[in-house]
């Protein structure tokens, strides 16, 4: 049997995030992992999951007129984090470790896009993602110093209430099923 950096997923699948087999990428595993993964590397006043963030991004893209493929891409925009974890933005984008991580993430994202038929390059996702990041920071972390990645970004007029991991997983799966039915 091959050795390597394989992860055992909650469903028992075997995934090497650096050389992923598309047949081993499973939406239930993604939903569970993202439901258990805290934003901000855990540096948050309360547990706030990547799954909840993803559901909200998808809802906001839809509210801004995105079609079902845009909205589906928004829901899945952080799916690679189910297998690689969530590296805080400043480390991912401003460090040598982040550069290596980003290369692995880009490769895994391509496989996930192919596996689920996800539309690439939806500009509204990045705009919504940034605005939600500013909103999440204000609500969950604090605005004690300047974050260059948020220059010119206005937080949304949105009140956030953190969901428990099971609730976030369930909401992610419900949103996925709803969007799949519309595709």
């Amino acid at each position: 049997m091959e050795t390597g950096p394989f992860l055992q997923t909650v469903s028992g699948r075997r995934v090497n995030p650096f050389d992923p087999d598309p047949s081993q990428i499973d939406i239930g595993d993604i939903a569970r992992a993202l439901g258990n993964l805290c934003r901000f590397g855990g540096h948050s006043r309360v547990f706030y999951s990547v799954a909840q963030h993803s559901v909200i991004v998808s809802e906001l893209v839809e509210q801004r007129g995105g079609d079902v493929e845009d909205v589906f891409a928004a829901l899945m925009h952080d799916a690679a984090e189910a297998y690689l974890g969530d590296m805080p933005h400043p480390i991912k984008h401003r460090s040598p470790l982040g550069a290596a991580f980003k290369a692995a993430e880009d490769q895994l994202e391509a496989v996930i896009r192919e596996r689920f038929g996800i539309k690439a390059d939806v500009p509204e996702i990045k705009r919504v993602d940034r605005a939600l990041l500013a909103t999440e920071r204000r609500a969950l972390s604090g605005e004690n110093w300047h974050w260059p990645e948020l220059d010119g970004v206005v937080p949304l007029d949105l009140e956030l209430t953190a969901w428990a991991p099971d609730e976030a997983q369930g909401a992610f799966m419900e949103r996925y099923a709803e969007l799949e039915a519309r595709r």
Side-chain angles (χ1 to χ4, degrees):
M1 178 164 276
E2 279 182 77
T3 60
F6 287 95
L7 305 174
Q8 179 175 318
T9 67
V10 71
S11 69
R13 287 177 173 78
R14 205 168 172 254
V15 177
N16 177 342
F18 304 104
D19 186 20
D21 174 352
S23 71
Q24 295 296 298
I25 305 294
D26 176 74
I27 194 61
D29 289 336
I30 291 170
R32 176 36 99 197
L34 296 183
N36 283 333
L37 192 59
C38 190
R39 295 269 291 160
F40 300 105
H43 295 279
S44 174
R45 286 192 288 271
V46 297
F47 179 85
Y48 178 78
S49 74
V50 174
Q52 180 175 356
H53 166 83
S54 298
V55 169
I56 294 170
V57 170
S58 77
E59 291 169 344
L60 292 169
V61 167
E62 187 167 37
Q63 289 169 14
R64 293 178 178 203
D67 66 20
V68 69
E69 295 302 327
D70 295 345
V71 175
F72 185 73
L75 178 69
M76 301 295 286
H77 81 281
D78 283 336
E81 293 179 9
Y83 302 100
L84 290 173
D86 182 15
M87 182 172 285
H89 190 279
I91 296 170
K92 185 189 290 187
H93 296 280
R94 294 197 303 263
S95 76
L97 176 62
F101 180 89
K102 189 71 179 119
E105 184 180 55
D106 288 347
Q107 178 184 350
L108 181 56
E109 284 175 346
V111 170
I112 291 171
R113 270 195 313 276
E114 179 184 327
R115 164 73 178 82
F116 293 102
I118 301 168
K119 181 178 179 180
D121 303 320
V122 178
E124 193 61 26
I125 294 172
K126 186 166 183 129
R127 286 190 285 272
V128 166
D129 197 35
R130 291 277 173 209
L132 186 55
L133 173 62
T135 308
E136 292 163 344
R137 179 184 185 212
R138 179 187 64 205
L140 305 167
S141 180
E143 299 172 293
N144 302 342
W145 48 277
H146 177 253
W147 283 11
E149 54 272 14
L150 293 178
D151 282 344
V153 177
V154 177
L156 302 165
D157 184 20
L158 182 68
E159 189 172 323
L160 296 173
T161 302
W163 303 336
D166 287 345
E167 183 181 0
Q169 174 192 3
F172 186 95
M173 287 302 297
E174 285 176 27
R175 186 70 166 154
Y176 176 86
E178 171 203 337
L179 295 171
E180 271 295 290
R182 292 172 32 200
R183 293 177 79 197

